[in-house]
Amino acid sequence: MTTTSHRTLRFLGQLALVLAAVSAGLPALASQRIKEVASIQGVRSNQLIGYGLVVGLDGTGDQTTQVPFTTQGLTSMLQQMGITVPAGTNMQLKNVAAVMVTAELPPFAQPGQTIDVTVSSVGNAKSLRGGTLIATPLKGADGEVYAVAQGNLIVGGAGASSGGSKVQINHLSGGRVPQGATVERTVPTPLQMGDMLQLDLNAADFNTARAVANAINSAKGAGTAQAMDGRVVRVRAPREPDQRVSFLADIEELPLELARPAAKVVLNPRTGSIVLNQAVQLAPCAVAHGSLTVTISQTPQVSQPGPLSNGQTTVTQKTDISVQQQGGSLVQLPAGAQLADVVKALNSLGATPQDLLAILQAMKAAGALQAELEVI
């Protein structure tokens, strides 16, 4: 086993001990507020998008011969300013880049307020550092313009290249313009419509829906809230705007006593990450796991013909294939009802996180892992 694997397993063991120590000092039920488990229907942000141009680049813009839409966008912008580019003109631009501009319009945003925007290159520009975003309309899903973005970009990176050598720090093809967009249109919300409001839970759970309804009824009177299903709670609220805002501010701060979550193991095969919550349990089982390594290497060899043989020198490839298999002994794992016990049992296998991905799936198939597997 490599040093990295030892360090990974040691870190998992230490993390389990810390989590066990923390959970030992906590009550069986987790206390949260309603604002942390639910949101008000209609009070949401909206995504905005627009196509624009970044100018003022130091020769790091799009190569217009390969990115023709940059020239088209610049020509269209110049026409709006009364400048006509002669037909057939081949503009060789180096300080202009085509970009996509995205922003998030928060709820209750009013005309005249400003929001941050993100600018990303869509062509082959080498860097957006030092550029200025030209006025770009930002549209919503309905095609209406809700904001206009313009300003100097902040790019959190740097780079230089010369003679085929290149040095780059962070990412140069994207940046942000803080407070770079001005809101031009508001988005109506149903917050002040009707006598009823709807709370949408972040995760479907009947126990949580019941707890939210009970907490509201205890604080505001019986019949104020009603759990409709595992995700929706309907609440009767005052009609006056100021009273409704105060009512929502009160119920968002109400504490909840939630039950333990369902046992779940989250696997990420791309990074080898494994996360287990405290409800995971392990039944007695026996596990044997070995790894197979196949190595293929090619070595170029030069074949030199003899003198006066009229032959030609050729290069051939010599291929070597080796197969190495590491034996895995049968390891008996005891039952574990606590997270620390489960992690300790998995560490005893001496497997890397990549191997644990396969082991946990096999345990689940055998019925020894009492948890839901989720692959992200």
Side-chain angles (χ1 to χ4, degrees):
M1 188 180 303
T2 62
T3 304
T4 303
S5 300
H6 281 294
R7 292 177 178 175
T8 303
L9 296 177
R10 189 183 303 112
F11 170 76
L12 290 175
Q14 294 174 352
L15 179 61
L17 294 177
V18 172
L19 293 176
V22 173
S23 60
L26 296 177
L29 300 178
S31 179
Q32 295 183 352
R33 296 173 298 177
I34 289 182
K35 66 166 52 178
E36 295 163 351
V37 300
S39 60
I40 304 172
Q41 186 185 50
V43 181
R44 44 159 289 183
S45 59
N46 292 272
Q47 284 69 40
L48 305 179
I49 188 172
Y51 172 83
L53 296 174
V54 171
V55 300
L57 301 176
D58 189 14
T60 59
D62 292 337
Q63 298 179 7
T64 53
T65 56
Q66 302 175 1
V67 187
F69 51 81
T70 302
T71 304
Q72 296 174 4
L74 181 61
T75 302
S76 176
M77 183 187 68
L78 293 177
Q79 288 178 353
Q80 296 177 6
M81 296 182 177
I83 301 175
T84 302
V85 179
T89 302
N90 185 14
M91 294 187 294
Q92 297 295 328
L93 306 176
K94 294 184 178 180
N95 58 350
V96 180
V99 295
M100 296 300 296
V101 184
T102 57
E104 188 170 307
L105 184 65
F108 312 119
Q110 299 299 313
Q113 295 181 334
T114 56
I115 56 177
D116 297 345
V117 297
T118 301
V119 181
S120 305
S121 172
V122 295
N124 54 8
K126 298 179 181 179
S127 174
L128 298 181
R129 188 177 180 89
T132 300
L133 176 67
I134 300 301
T136 303
L138 301 181
K139 300 181 179 180
D142 56 358
E144 298 292 338
V145 176
Y146 287 89
V148 177
Q150 181 172 288
N152 297 325
L153 269 69
I154 296 179
V155 179
S161 61
S162 177
S165 299
K166 180 180 180 181
V167 177
Q168 179 174 323
I169 302 175
N170 295 335
H171 197 62
L172 300 177
S173 297
R176 289 180 65 85
V177 183
Q179 306 296 311
T182 303
V183 178
E184 302 292 342
R185 184 195 301 259
T186 60
V187 178
T189 61
L191 183 62
Q192 304 295 343
M193 299 180 183
D195 296 331
M196 305 297 293
L197 292 176
Q198 180 171 311
L199 298 181
D200 298 330
L201 301 185
N202 299 333
D205 186 83
F206 291 104
N207 187 285
T208 304
R210 182 182 63 179
V212 170
N214 291 340
I216 296 175
N217 290 331
S218 299
K220 299 297 182 180
T224 303
Q226 181 181 7
M228 307 303 296
D229 51 39
R231 188 178 285 269
V232 176
V233 177
R234 291 178 61 85
V235 182
R236 186 178 303 277
R239 295 189 63 90
E240 294 297 327
D242 57 341
Q243 296 180 7
R244 178 163 292 193
V245 171
S246 299
F247 175 83
L248 292 175
D250 292 340
I251 67 173
E252 282 187 337
E253 293 295 328
L254 294 177
L256 298 174
E257 296 295 333
L258 303 180
R260 294 176 60 186
K264 179 177 289 188
V265 179
V266 180
L267 311 176
N268 189 337
R270 295 183 297 274
T271 62
S273 303
I274 303 173
V275 178
L276 304 81
N277 65 8
Q278 61 179 0
V280 175
Q281 297 184 5
L282 187 65
C285 61
V287 178
H289 183 78
S291 59
L292 184 68
T293 302
V294 179
T295 304
I296 301 176
S297 61
Q298 290 185 343
T299 304
Q301 293 183 340
V302 179
S303 176
Q304 183 69 31
L308 303 178
S309 62
N310 295 326
Q312 295 182 352
T313 301
T314 59
V315 178
T316 61
Q317 298 289 341
K318 179 183 178 182
T319 303
D320 296 325
I321 302 177
S322 62
V323 179
Q324 182 180 3
Q325 184 175 7
Q326 297 179 358
S329 59
L330 190 65
V331 179
Q332 182 178 357
L333 301 183
Q338 300 293 332
L339 178 61
D341 299 333
V342 175
V343 174
K344 183 179 180 181
L346 294 177
N347 283 342
S348 66
L349 295 175
T352 65
Q354 292 291 346
D355 293 334
L356 286 177
L357 294 174
I359 295 175
L360 290 173
Q361 295 181 52
M363 285 182 174
K364 176 64 176 178
L369 182 65
Q370 300 175 10
E372 176 190 356
L373 290 181
E374 180 179 347
V375 180
I376 61 175

